[in-house]
Amino acid sequence: MAEKIKVPTMAEYMAEGKHPEVLFWVGCSGSFDDRAKKITKAFVRLLDRANVNFAVLGTEESCTGDPAKRAGNEFLYQMQAAGNIEVLNGYEIKKIVTTCPHCFNIIKNEYPGLGGNYEVMHHTTFLKSLLDEGRLTVQGGKFKGKKITFHDPCYLGRGNDIYEAPRDLLRKLEVELTEMKRCKKNAMCCGAGGAQMFKEPEPGDKEVNVERTEQALEVEPEIIAAGCPFCNTMMTDGVKTKEKEGSVEVMDIAEMIANAEDL
């Protein structure tokens, strides 16, 4: 990428008396995890390409509280959520898009109970809407004809019944989309849900991410497509465990679209 894209903060927008079309909620992974930062950058390039007027909270963004809540610390969750809601409502935010299904689910479904009411979209749904409106075009490019399987994130699929938007985007890339035996409503967790991302697994015969990766490798894909930074980490680790990193990539759908367009 030759040119740097300016990512404005809400504070900068408000200083000019303007309001963005959408707030991009980056999330902890997208902000701090080196692998997930690439997803963040790819999505920003797509927003820029589609001329979407967007902003981020920057240093005013805190963790949504999802890991705390799932780990059983309701008190910490409510403290984190209340702080975020105060900031969001202070900026009169109406529409939020995020690349993390955990952030998406909790802001959409659980923040309203604490006074935070927003239109919240996962980035695959938002990208699909940009396509439908003709603001973004997607071509197969380097992915045309490649064998891809899609891993459904729990909070996107079973949690919110969003199955088709990510698949529609992959079809636009003209890939050979091959489903795992366990997909959509019957899909299996990557092993990072419920705050498991931040702790060691319980004793057992096999780790969940290895089991899920084996299900993906059964269909012999060239790329395992994901729509969640946690899933991306777990599936990447699974691919390494099976010593397949030389032949199988794990990529977020936003990265695939941005790479196909050479953004």
Side-chain angles (χ1 to χ4, degrees), residues 46 162 172 195:
L46 294 174
I162 296 173
K172 292 280 187 188

Side-chain angles (χ1 to χ4, degrees), residues 88-151:
L88 292 168
N89 289 353
Y91 283 127
E92 298 178 352
I93 298 297
K94 301 285 188 287
K95 189 171 183 178
I96 298 172
V97 62
T98 178
T99 54
C100 176
H102 297 253
C103 299
F104 162 70
N105 177 72
I106 207 158
I107 299 173
K108 175 177 179 280
N109 296 320
E110 303 192 39
Y111 272 31
L114 297 171
N117 295 284
Y118 321 101
E119 180 189 354
V120 191
M121 297 181 80
H122 184 253
H123 72 304
T124 55
T125 313
F126 188 69
L127 290 172
K128 175 73 167 56
S129 72
L130 293 176
L131 275 177
D132 293 344
E133 292 164 19
R135 297 173 68 182
L136 187 68
T137 55
V138 176
Q139 282 141 9
K142 64 176 82 169
F143 299 109
K144 188 171 182 177
K146 285 203 170 184
K147 197 170 187 183
I148 313 286
T149 194
F150 177 65
H151 163 73

Side-chain angles (χ1 to χ4, degrees), residues 28-38 197 229 233:
C28 301
S29 262
S31 300
F32 301 114
D33 180 81
D34 285 344
R35 176 65 187 87
K37 284 180 197 171
K38 294 177 182 176
M197 181 77 180
T233 297

